[in-house]
Amino acid sequence: MQEPFVHINKLTIQYNHKKVLDNLSWSINKGENYLLGGESGSGKTTLAQAIVGDEIMEQTIKISYTQHSLLPAKAIYISNWYQFTNLEGDRNFYYQQRYNKHQGQDTLTVQAELEHYGQKENLDLKDIEQRIKDFGFESTRATQLIELSSGEHKKLQLIKGLWAKPQLLIIDEPYTGLDKQSRITLNNWLDDLVQEGVQLILISNDQQLPRAINRFAHIVNGQLEQVDNRNQLTRNAPREKMRLPDFLLASPPTPYKVVAKLQNIYIRYGDKEVLKDVSWEVKVGEKWLLQGPNGSGKSTLLSLINGDHPQSYGLDIYLFDQKRGTGESIWDIKEKIGIISPEMHWYFDQTATVWHTIASGFYDSIGWFVDVKFEEKKKIEELLAFFGLTEFKDHLLQSLPLGKQRLALLARTIVKNPPLLVLDEPCQGLDAEQTKYFNDVVDELAQHGKTLIYVGHYESLLPSCIEHRIVLEKGQVKAIEDILENVE
């Protein structure tokens, strides 16, 4: 009988006295390419990290590599989050730093990062030149790592891992942050790698998968269970609909007619134009969808509205009926905006508890630095209950499953009941049930005087309240249109 390619025998892992994996066993044979799905927080990421880790004893996890294969005898794990360092090997960045060009020289360029990785892994960059172009990543080569959007960081992760062609490739949430065409390109590349002998484990609840996926499993009560197809994978139970806290039912004051007006905006980093002649007006109460491929300029456009971009001074920008740079402070702007983005999540204070994370929304900080008032404490507790986070309020944000982290940050976004919600891919890391739950919340909030700017790639996973769409492509406005009847 052929020896399994991966054999796990009674693996137990626990955190804080709670067993995440409980005597888990799993055998993967050659040619079996798995989708590992199931509920958020069930232990999928923990299992993946254990398979590629160096700390597990051989009798617990054994990978039987093919010794005479042209592919390297190694396993590579591509995490959900991309972690990069500055030139001194440190991660001490701050959120607005990615927009400050003079401070962006602290990290490698994409080209230098690829060259460094290729040298380390003995790889030839020429082998993936076409893949880089197919991924729409060619134009980023001279870009500093800190300047990349979350979708571009994901592409860089994937390019490096797939370039190495390991015998075992494990990808955690491979499609997070990728636009529609990039997901198709990725699946085609993965299918090609399987033909060359790479074996896959994908951690995902996505519906668009490589053709090569032929096995399905999930983790239930710390044990791995195999199922016949992805429809049998466990899902988080639909969340019970709850009434919004009373303070969110009150419409915030809006003594202005226009939330944002941008006219003929150009943003350049050296010779690179990020935004080219962009004009856009958002009136009070409007609900907008902002779309475009990865790297099209969406994050930069939003940074002009939320006050984070240093080039916004001197441009023809009006925020809340006041021209930018005519005496308003950054805090005058931020007090009117509730924002969430993948980049904010990435830079968020690693020492913050869930409670402190939500509290920081009152002060627009990436963390929590002051005491909150009694009424503010009451609102925090109401949101903890509303999002089902009360039992986790004293846990570190980063210790929670990614889905719960996002819910905590969503609570932070609305805790001060702002008139403008800027939701940049707010449901990254949430499964379909959690996404529907949150978008239902957005629809309810929209009924109470909110203006909305929502960034999302999936047409079928959007709030129903959206009325208008602006589409960017290569830094330019490709379309502005009404979509009230087109959104499903």
Side-chain angles (χ1 to χ4, degrees):
M1 185 174 178
Q2 186 180 18
E3 185 178 26
F5 176 49
V6 179
H7 182 64
I8 303 174
N9 182 38
K10 297 182 179 179
L11 173 65
T12 297
I13 296 179
Q14 64 180 39
Y15 297 124
N16 299 324
H17 308 293
K18 178 183 178 181
K19 286 185 179 179
V20 179
L21 305 178
D22 187 8
N23 282 315
L24 180 146
S25 296
W26 190 15
S27 290
I28 304 174
N29 296 315
K30 280 288 185 182
E32 294 181 340
N33 297 293
Y34 269 89
L35 175 69
L36 182 58
E39 295 184 22
S40 174
S42 59
K44 302 185 294 292
T45 295
T46 299
L47 176 57
Q49 291 172 335
I51 292 173
V52 299
D54 297 325
E55 300 175 0
I56 303 297
M57 294 185 296
E58 187 173 302
Q59 60 264 36
T60 305
I61 298 179
K62 182 179 180 182
I63 303 177
S64 300
Y65 296 108
T66 301
Q67 297 305 314
H68 303 294
S69 172
L70 295 176
L71 305 181
K74 64 190 301 183
I76 288 180
Y77 168 67
I78 301 177
S79 68
N80 193 7
W81 284 106
Y82 182 77
Q83 298 190 16
F84 65 96
T85 63
N86 63 16
L87 297 178
E88 297 179 352
D90 158 19
R91 284 190 60 232
N92 188 25
F93 303 112
Y94 60 90
Y95 176 53
Q96 291 86 354
Q97 188 172 348
R98 63 191 299 262
Y99 304 115
N100 292 334
K101 182 63 180 177
H102 67 283
Q103 297 187 31
Q105 306 299 326
D106 197 28
T107 59
L108 292 174
T109 64
V110 169
Q111 179 70 19
E113 174 73 7
L114 290 172
E115 290 174 353
H116 175 73
Y117 184 77
Q119 184 177 26
K120 175 185 172 186
E121 300 294 331
N122 195 27
L123 300 168
D124 189 343
L125 192 54
K126 293 178 182 177
D127 292 341
I128 58 162
E129 292 289 355
Q130 188 58 50
R131 298 290 189 182
I132 291 174
K133 292 177 182 177
D134 292 344
F135 236 161
F137 206 59
E138 180 70 20
S139 63
T140 68
R141 287 180 180 261
T143 303
Q144 301 286 322
L145 296 184
I146 197 172
E147 295 167 357
L148 296 178
S149 68
S150 63
E152 290 170 327
H153 271 302
K154 191 67 177 185
K155 286 184 178 180
L156 181 57
Q157 269 185 296
L158 292 165
I159 287 169
K160 289 164 61 179
L162 275 61
W163 180 19
K165 294 184 182 179
Q167 289 190 32
L168 177 61
L169 179 61
I170 306 174
I171 312 180
D172 198 342
E173 300 295 347
Y175 309 102
T176 298
L178 296 186
D179 57 58
K180 182 178 180 180
Q181 182 56 49
S182 296
R183 295 196 298 270
I184 294 171
T185 300
L186 172 61
N187 282 341
N188 290 337
W189 192 355
L190 291 173
D191 282 329
D192 290 343
L193 288 178
V194 169
Q195 291 295 316
E196 296 182 54
V198 173
Q199 202 148 335
L200 299 177
I201 300 175
L202 302 186
I203 300 174
S204 177
N205 285 306
D206 202 275
Q207 294 298 305
Q208 291 181 291
L209 300 170
R211 294 185 302 275
I213 293 296
N214 55 17
R215 296 291 186 276
F216 305 88
H218 54 206
I219 299 172
V220 179
N221 297 325
Q223 300 277 323
L224 187 125
E225 295 181 358
Q226 298 187 44
V227 297
D228 294 331
N229 57 66
R230 65 184 175 195
N231 295 326
Q232 296 176 350
L233 297 171
T234 54
R235 298 173 178 269
N236 287 84
R239 298 178 70 94
E240 181 181 349
K241 185 173 181 179
M242 297 177 61
R243 185 175 183 272
L244 282 173
D246 287 341
F247 75 92
L248 291 174
L249 298 176
S251 296
T254 52
Y256 36 80
K257 295 181 179 180
V258 175
V259 166
K261 184 177 181 180
L262 298 86
Q263 299 182 102
N264 309 114
I265 300 300
Y266 287 85
I267 295 291
R268 296 178 177 87
Y269 298 142
D271 296 331
K272 182 180 179 181
E273 283 189 321
V274 181
L275 295 179
K276 308 171 189 177
D277 196 22
V278 171
S279 296
W280 184 29
E281 183 175 77
V282 179
K283 296 177 181 177
V284 169
E286 290 184 336
K287 315 298 186 292
W288 281 87
L289 175 65
L290 170 59
Q291 289 187 312
N294 299 129
S296 59
K298 300 186 300 295
S299 295
T300 301
L301 180 59
L302 292 179
S303 72
L304 295 172
I305 293 174
N306 64 38
D308 285 326
H309 204 294
Q311 292 189 39
S312 59
Y313 297 98
L315 298 177
D316 198 354
I317 298 175
Y318 288 80
L319 300 178
F320 308 103
D321 280 351
Q322 184 169 0
K323 191 172 191 324
R324 193 76 169 93
T326 56
E328 83 291 354
S329 73
I330 185 68
W331 305 114
D332 292 331
I333 296 170
K334 287 187 175 295
E335 72 176 359
K336 301 179 181 70
I337 303 175
I339 182 169
I340 185 172
S341 70
E343 291 79 16
M344 175 174 287
H345 193 171
W346 168 250
Y347 291 109
F348 209 81
D349 183 359
Q350 298 292 298
T351 66
T353 66
V354 170
W355 196 95
H356 292 151
T357 296
I358 300 173
S360 70
F362 285 114
Y363 304 97
D364 305 297
S365 61
I366 309 297
W368 179 70
F369 307 103
V370 295
D371 290 330
V372 295
K373 306 176 182 67
F374 174 78
E375 281 300 316
E376 293 171 341
K377 290 180 181 178
K378 185 170 180 285
K379 292 175 181 178
I380 294 168
E381 295 297 332
E382 288 177 2
L383 283 175
L384 284 166
F386 182 79
F387 282 107
L389 294 170
T390 300
E391 65 179 294
F392 305 103
K393 68 178 184 179
D394 295 323
H395 293 211
L396 288 178
L397 178 69
Q398 63 175 349
S399 71
L400 268 59
L402 186 58
K404 285 188 170 58
Q405 290 185 42
R406 299 296 287 185
L407 290 176
L409 287 167
L410 293 168
R412 174 192 182 276
T413 302
I414 61 177
V415 69
K416 62 184 178 183
N417 194 25
L420 173 62
L421 294 176
V422 178
L423 308 180
D424 185 355
E425 297 194 52
C427 298
Q428 272 195 18
L430 304 186
D431 60 26
E433 285 73 23
Q434 290 171 320
T435 297
K436 184 181 184 309
Y437 166 78
F438 176 69
N439 285 335
D440 287 345
V441 172
V442 173
D443 283 330
E444 288 187 62
L445 290 168
Q447 298 175 26
H448 302 283
K450 305 291 190 298
T451 303
L452 175 67
I453 301 174
Y454 192 106
V455 181
H457 292 299
Y458 294 84
E459 294 291 334
S460 60
L461 297 176
L462 298 173
S464 60
C465 65
I466 292 175
E467 306 163 323
H468 314 285
R469 168 165 47 201
I470 178 171
V471 181
L472 296 184
E473 188 172 292
K474 296 181 180 178
Q476 295 178 298
V477 177
K478 182 181 179 182
I480 293 180
E481 56 192 4
D482 295 335
I483 61 168
L484 183 59
E485 296 179 359
N486 299 334
V487 176
E488 297 178 4

